[in-house]
Amino acid sequence: MFGRMRFYLALWLALLAMWASRILGRGSGSALPGKLALAIDPAILKRLARGVKRIIVVTGTNGKTTTNNMLVSILRAGGYTVVANLAGANLITGVTTAFLAAAGWRGCLQADYASLEVDEASLPGVLEFLSPRLVVVTNFFRDQLDRYGELDKTVAIVAEALQKQKQEIHLILNADDPLVAQLSIRTGRPAMFYGLTNVAVNSCSYSGADSREGRFCPFCGQVLSYSYYNYSQLGSYSCLQCGFSRPEPDVEGVQVCRARGCLSCQVTVKQGRSVMLSLPLEGIYNIYNALAACSAGLYLGLPAQVMANALAHYQTATGRLERFTYHDKQVLLNLVKNPAGFNAALQLIANVEPVPLDILIAINDNAADGRDISWLWDVDFEMLSQFAGKTGKFVCTGQRGAEMALRLKYAGMAAEQIVYIPDYEQAVKTVLQAQGRGVYMLATYTALWPVERVVNSYARRERAGSARLSPVS
């Protein structure tokens, strides 16, 4: 009886907190309710999860939110009911909030699937309460060193968490990332691999001095030999010493094309099937996200054409290349959080039209962003000098906007191009009213929320149904 009372007390107070948070405009209420519920009833997540037939977890450094949201779109298009943390709150508090919201005031939860984005460092804690049968790993990049530590430590955390699970787990792994592909061998878990053909032959991306996180074989330490890179360390690799190499993908994207802000590719499956995939998105990394989602869908038995149709109408989450219109200008808002992701975001400038673009960069150093911003010196801002005529004014803002302005100066940007404006509203207004034909906004986690709020007050959001991002995720 006491346990039941504690469950409902936790549920109702958490839902009240969610309601109050949204009414008062104090964020999306995607983390605090879960934190409150777990403090009152630590077993509430495990209890709610019993109402879900099958649990899927998506983890990795970059692309978790987009991959998970794509997978949810696919599952719902297949007619399934899905519990999901679409807003990107990926700590155990955000995962719990997703279950609380789905359970409602009566605490009754019945769903076919739970598809959950989970932070890499939080994976062991989440897996104490949930027993997923399918785990998708997107990629591993250096990220928030003061929180995660070195990359090897992050990979070890995920591998150990997967090894400890007693239930059967099938992995969906990125074949092009040696740091991810090794997990099948290290954990002994069966895996389906996805990958992407060499996109450089289609001239779809600019290749700058990319960060190469996985230069060495994870098994023998020999320098890996690459026949091509798609971005960062993702590509076709092999170890000439121990034989570790890129697994042959079960699901592969080929013939990648870009047109009018959209990407398309042919998705081939080992069994001989293929389907044309079109995405209303920019960025090669979004092809990878879509391939991960499709691989999970194929493993679960969803028809390929149903998945293609769902992804053709995919709506981005807030800050994932979200589009606005300010008068006749296109405004793009994108999250940045580590060197690999920032490089990929900058490379988009090579393809975005119309130009020149005025660019806002908002950098914070709160706990969710990482206190150490030295990673900005590992971003290839020097590539901007090769985009002659494509960039206009650079407006830097946020708690560490001054350091960002300094970094751009050292990258070779002309001093008269760079403006530092501490206030978010003034910074956004300045970049919107600049002389360029388009605007590109890049922001770290906690800077994204205030920037989005300001730009939303001046510009029209092109996709009103977008999932919203938690201020701290």
Side-chain angles (χ1 to χ4, degrees):
M1 176 62 79
F2 177 72
R4 194 171 182 82
M5 288 174 61
R6 187 163 63 175
F7 170 79
Y8 279 105
L9 179 64
L11 175 71
W12 292 338
L13 288 178
L15 291 179
L16 275 174
M18 188 184 303
W19 174 80
S21 177
R22 291 172 179 173
I23 290 295
L24 298 174
R26 306 289 293 180
S28 58
S30 57
L32 177 62
K35 185 176 182 179
L36 181 61
L38 288 168
I40 299 170
D41 183 0
I44 195 168
L45 177 57
K46 182 175 283 188
R47 185 166 181 166
L48 289 172
R50 291 175 189 150
V52 177
K53 294 177 183 173
R54 201 165 190 173
I55 295 174
I56 307 165
V57 163
V58 178
T59 192
T61 306
N62 290 345
K64 293 186 292 291
T65 300
T66 301
T67 298
N68 190 52
N69 290 10
M70 284 179 168
L71 180 54
V72 172
S73 299
I74 286 170
L75 290 169
R76 288 178 175 165
Y80 295 106
T81 53
V82 188
V83 177
N85 51 346
L86 296 177
N90 56 27
L91 306 182
I92 191 168
T93 51
V95 170
T96 304
T97 299
F99 278 88
L100 291 165
W105 295 98
R106 297 178 63 186
C108 296
L109 177 57
Q110 297 294 324
D112 297 310
Y113 288 98
S115 187
L116 305 160
E117 167 193 349
V118 178
D119 170 82
E120 311 92 279
S122 299
L123 187 65
V126 172
L127 295 190
E128 286 183 18
F129 299 97
L130 304 179
S131 299
R133 296 302 179 95
L134 188 63
V135 175
V136 181
V137 186
T138 57
N139 47 59
F140 288 119
F141 298 119
R142 190 157 32 97
D143 189 20
Q144 299 184 34
L145 290 177
D146 52 340
R147 177 165 170 255
Y148 292 107
E150 288 294 337
L151 193 51
D152 289 348
K153 183 179 178 183
T154 305
V155 175
I157 288 172
V158 173
E160 188 176 337
L162 294 173
Q163 282 175 317
K164 282 184 176 178
Q165 293 301 295
K166 295 178 181 176
Q167 76 280 11
E168 291 183 4
I169 294 180
H170 198 96
L171 304 178
I172 304 293
L173 301 178
N174 187 340
D176 294 355
D177 186 346
L179 299 173
V180 172
Q182 65 167 314
L183 289 177
S184 177
I185 299 172
R186 285 207 181 280
T187 66
R189 304 285 186 182
M192 173 186 279
F193 292 95
Y194 65 91
L196 184 59
T197 189
N198 184 0
V199 295
V201 298
N202 297 295
S203 301
C204 284
S205 66
Y206 166 84
S207 180
D210 229 332
S211 57
R212 310 294 189 200
E213 310 282 10
R215 295 178 58 197
F216 301 99
C217 175
F219 294 101
C220 71
Q222 181 73 17
V223 175
L224 291 171
S225 175
Y226 272 80
S227 59
Y228 65 82
Y229 291 100
N230 281 330
Y231 80 96
S232 193
Q233 79 270 15
L234 275 61
S236 182
Y237 53 86
S238 62
C239 175
L240 302 181
Q241 182 162 289
C242 73
F244 172 64
S245 62
R246 176 192 188 237
E248 184 182 353
D250 299 282
V251 178
E252 186 168 30
V254 299
Q255 300 174 1
V256 177
C257 294
R258 177 185 179 278
R260 297 182 178 180
C262 298
L263 289 165
S264 64
C265 73
Q266 193 76 25
V267 178
T268 62
V269 184
K270 250 184 180 177
Q271 292 82 358
R273 292 173 289 165
S274 69
V275 66
M276 192 67 193
L277 190 65
S278 296
L279 299 174
L281 299 170
E282 297 274 4
I284 293 302
Y285 52 88
N286 277 318
I287 292 282
Y288 274 107
N289 295 334
L291 289 172
C294 285
S295 299
L298 287 167
Y299 176 79
L300 297 170
L302 274 79
Q305 194 56 54
V306 169
M307 296 192 290
N309 291 343
L311 295 182
H313 301 94
Y314 175 73
Q315 295 190 5
T316 60
T318 295
R320 269 65 172 184
L321 271 181
E322 193 178 18
R323 299 182 187 192
F324 297 81
T325 301
Y326 176 75
H327 298 308
D328 60 344
K329 291 183 182 179
Q330 174 180 259
V331 181
L332 296 173
L333 177 61
N334 207 2
L335 171 72
V336 288
K337 59 176 185 171
N338 51 46
F342 215 139
N343 284 339
L346 293 176
Q347 287 166 13
L348 290 179
I349 297 172
N351 294 321
V352 172
E353 297 286 348
V355 291
L357 294 173
D358 294 303
I359 298 172
L360 178 140
I361 305 179
I363 304 294
N364 277 357
D365 62 353
N366 293 313
D369 307 292
R371 300 289 188 189
D372 179 3
I373 62 162
S374 62
W375 61 272
L376 290 174
W377 293 88
D378 293 332
V379 179
D380 182 20
F381 290 105
E382 285 72 13
M383 78 169 77
L384 293 169
S385 64
Q386 299 186 37
F387 299 150
K390 288 180 175 287
T391 59
K393 186 183 291 293
F394 289 90
V395 178
C396 301
T397 188
Q399 296 162 345
R400 306 304 289 267
E403 285 88 343
M404 186 62 244
L406 179 68
R407 176 68 185 91
L408 288 174
K409 186 176 180 182
Y410 272 89
M413 298 297 100
E416 56 269 25
Q417 276 186 284
I418 306 168
V419 182
Y420 166 51
I421 303 176
D423 180 74
Y424 290 119
E425 178 146 4
Q426 288 303 316
V428 170
K429 284 175 63 178
T430 299
V431 78
L432 288 174
Q433 295 168 2
Q435 299 301 310
R437 298 179 65 193
V439 177
Y440 192 19
M441 299 183 176
L442 302 157
T444 55
Y445 267 131
T446 65
L448 182 65
W449 190 254
V451 168
E452 185 270 345
R453 188 166 55 242
V454 176
V455 73
N456 194 43
S457 67
Y458 289 99
R460 177 172 55 83
R461 192 190 302 270
E462 291 193 8
R463 293 181 181 275
S466 301
R468 297 176 72 78
L469 179 71
S470 152
V472 178
S473 63

